[in-house]
Amino acid sequence: MNDLTLIDSASVAMPEPFVGRHLIDGAWTDSAETFQRHSPAHGTLVSTSAKGGVTETEAAIAAARRAFDTSGWAETSGKYRATLLLKVADLIDARREEIAVMEVLESGKPISQSRAEIEGAADLWRYAASLARTIHGDSHNSLGPDMLGVVLRDPIGVVSMITPWNFPFLIVSQKLPFALAAGCTAVVKPSEMTPSTTVMLGEMLIEAGLPKGVVNIVLGFGDPVGALMSAHDSVDMVSFTGSTGVGKRIAAAASGTLKKLSFELGGKNPQVIFPDADLDAAADAITFGIYFNAGECCNSGSRIIVHEDVAEALTNKIVALSRKVPFGDPLHPDTQVGAIISPEHQAKIAGYVRDAQSGGAKVALGGQALTLDGLPGQFYGPTVVTGVTPDMPIARDEVFGPVLAVLTFRDFDEAIQLANGATYGLSAGVWSTNMHTCLQFARKVQAGTVWTNTWMDGFPEMPFGGVKQSGQGRELGRYGLEEFTELKTLTMRVTPGRDNWVKG
Ligand code: NAD
């Protein structure tokens, strides 16, 4: 592994450990117990957070319910809500560096990426502000001379938002501004691994003038906080991003009240490379797709399905590029891949690689932990596994690490069969210079997002979500706002003289 670029000297200052409290009904609230987060790269204490339980969760849900039912928030104008969201966006910009550094320290992601994510998050608040002034329903003027139909869009109510650790600030920004634009109120629970930037967001919401109780934040664990947020009868919707396994538990907990569920879950995202593809462009995008966020990404391009005629050439290019990717201290501005979130997760990644090897696959690069001078945390080296067959766990499961699985195909039908062979359906990609091949693939592949001759480009305007066990519902775009609304049908008689039902 000597020929990898390893960067070991940090050039961004470590802040003091952050103290996180709940935000309940406009007040910062402590709990008797706390929990700590240490940097997965540096081992240092990063934050101490109040550990919420049933009492704090009940109080937060009650505050959100009151704010929705009686505070007048839901009836405010789109202009009012848009103005507030724009203020939050400006505050995010003003605190970008502070938020970015905290994300690095709690999640292990590199600072350059983190800065870009916070910049992107501010853009989401601005985009949602633009949508707040466009909410509208429909009208039906063709129901006959006596009748007029109007379809209203109402905010759905109190929304529980439960977020993961891999993109803490970005993911809460894919949900919260859209729900607020719609007129909803919320209870937010960030991951116990990365709670602090959501607390910073709470500070900015207060500074921007958000009325008390409209957004409440409870810090803590899935059990009991997330479970109660999912089951509670005062909650109208759960918006969850996380693993498919926890999504199923939330669906079970929510079934007692049949509340609306919006799920952004895992993925095992295939890219199919045809022989006529630009192999250099594909190799670079595949390298990006597998190492971005250390592979701890729902959209990770974790398996490629490459035509057997070009498999060796493409794999060689990917391995050569992989050796050049700077793994290292996530605080260093040149680092592109940082630490793995926890020792347990690192062991899980290593287990998948070992299992594939024992099943007959070959490790073309990596397959082992990285030791970086002066950094006690866990890092996993860039890894390319070839000779993978569709039955192997590494081909089917979300490894969530910097580990690429390489499968091969002979014809279009086999490529589609392999691509659609997973239980997931989040995103997929196709590489070919023939537009017909790309379009045919896009039509047949089971995925919420399809990229042709590119990978992982996203825009606030473009909806995002999964099919099959990758989720339900969509975030972003106008659909991202509509998720947080409910339709109300208004049927009006507009002339006197309705025919009586009771005759005589
Ligand atoms: P996770 O499912 O373990 O945890 C996510 C959140 O759920 C955390 O806040 C956790 O505390 C909470 N939780 C745990 N148990 C719960 C329960 N019983 N009830 C309610 N809440 C509970 O996921 P993670 O490890 O934090 O994140 C990684 C996963 O997230 C991966 O599977 C990844 O693919 C997925 N993800 C999906 C998207 C997407 O947009 N599709 C984006 C990012 C991450």
Side-chain angles (χ1 to χ4, degrees), residues 161-167 171 174-175 189-194 220-231 238 240-251 253 263-269 293 295-300 341 345 348 398 400 424 426 464-466 470-471 475:
M161 298 183 183
I162 303 173
T163 57
W165 48 260
N166 58 347
F167 299 94
I171 286 175
Q174 288 183 192
K175 303 179 187 297
K189 190 199 93 59
S191 166
E192 56 276 20
M193 309 262 208
T194 53
F221 291 72
D223 182 17
V225 180
L228 187 53
M229 287 169 65
S230 309
V238 181
F240 170 71
T241 300
S243 61
T244 296
V246 170
K248 289 178 183 176
R249 267 183 285 188
I250 290 175
F263 282 168
E264 300 289 336
L265 307 175
K268 188 70 194 177
N269 313 297
N293 216 48
E296 297 168 324
C297 178
C298 59
N299 261 331
S300 168
I341 191 76
H345 188 56
K348 187 178 149 202
E398 200 179 31
F400 232 53
Y424 294 112
L426 190 59
F464 179 68
S470 286
E475 292 186 340

Side-chain angles (χ1 to χ4, degrees), residues 171-369:
I171 286 175
V172 75
S173 299
Q174 288 183 192
K175 303 179 187 297
L176 191 54
F178 294 83
L180 294 176
C184 295
T185 63
V187 177
V188 183
K189 190 199 93 59
S191 166
E192 56 276 20
M193 309 262 208
T194 53
S196 301
T197 57
T198 301
V199 176
M200 292 177 180
L201 180 60
E203 294 166 356
M204 291 178 261
L205 292 171
I206 291 177
E207 195 178 338
L210 191 80
K212 70 171 188 168
V214 171
V215 174
N216 305 272
I217 298 168
V218 183
L219 308 177
F221 291 72
D223 182 17
V225 180
L228 187 53
M229 287 169 65
S230 309
H232 206 287
D233 59 6
S234 288
V235 170
D236 301 299
M237 173 178 175
V238 181
S239 172
F240 170 71
T241 300
S243 61
T244 296
V246 170
K248 289 178 183 176
R249 267 183 285 188
I250 290 175
S255 68
T257 51
L258 288 183
K259 53 177 59 69
K260 181 171 177 179
L261 300 175
S262 174
F263 282 168
E264 300 289 336
L265 307 175
K268 188 70 194 177
N269 313 297
Q271 293 184 74
V272 173
I273 302 96
F274 287 89
D276 64 345
D278 176 343
L279 292 189
D280 289 318
D284 184 75
I286 290 163
T287 305
F288 156 64
I290 190 59
Y291 303 129
F292 174 71
N293 216 48
E296 297 168 324
C297 178
C298 59
N299 261 331
S300 168
S302 55
R303 60 186 173 126
I304 60 168
I305 301 165
V306 52
H307 192 277
E308 58 186 17
D309 288 355
V310 292
E312 194 179 335
L314 181 68
T315 307
N316 288 342
K317 287 177 192 289
I318 295 167
V319 168
L321 288 175
S322 300
R323 292 181 192 280
K324 293 189 193 167
V325 178
F327 281 57
D329 187 335
L331 284 174
H332 195 291
D334 292 341
T335 295
Q336 281 182 281
V337 184
I340 299 297
I341 191 76
S342 67
E344 298 75 27
H345 188 56
Q346 169 110 331
K348 187 178 149 202
I349 296 168
Y352 274 109
V353 177
R354 271 198 312 275
D355 174 85
Q357 271 178 303
S358 62
K362 290 179 84 169
V363 175
L365 178 73
Q368 51 197 295

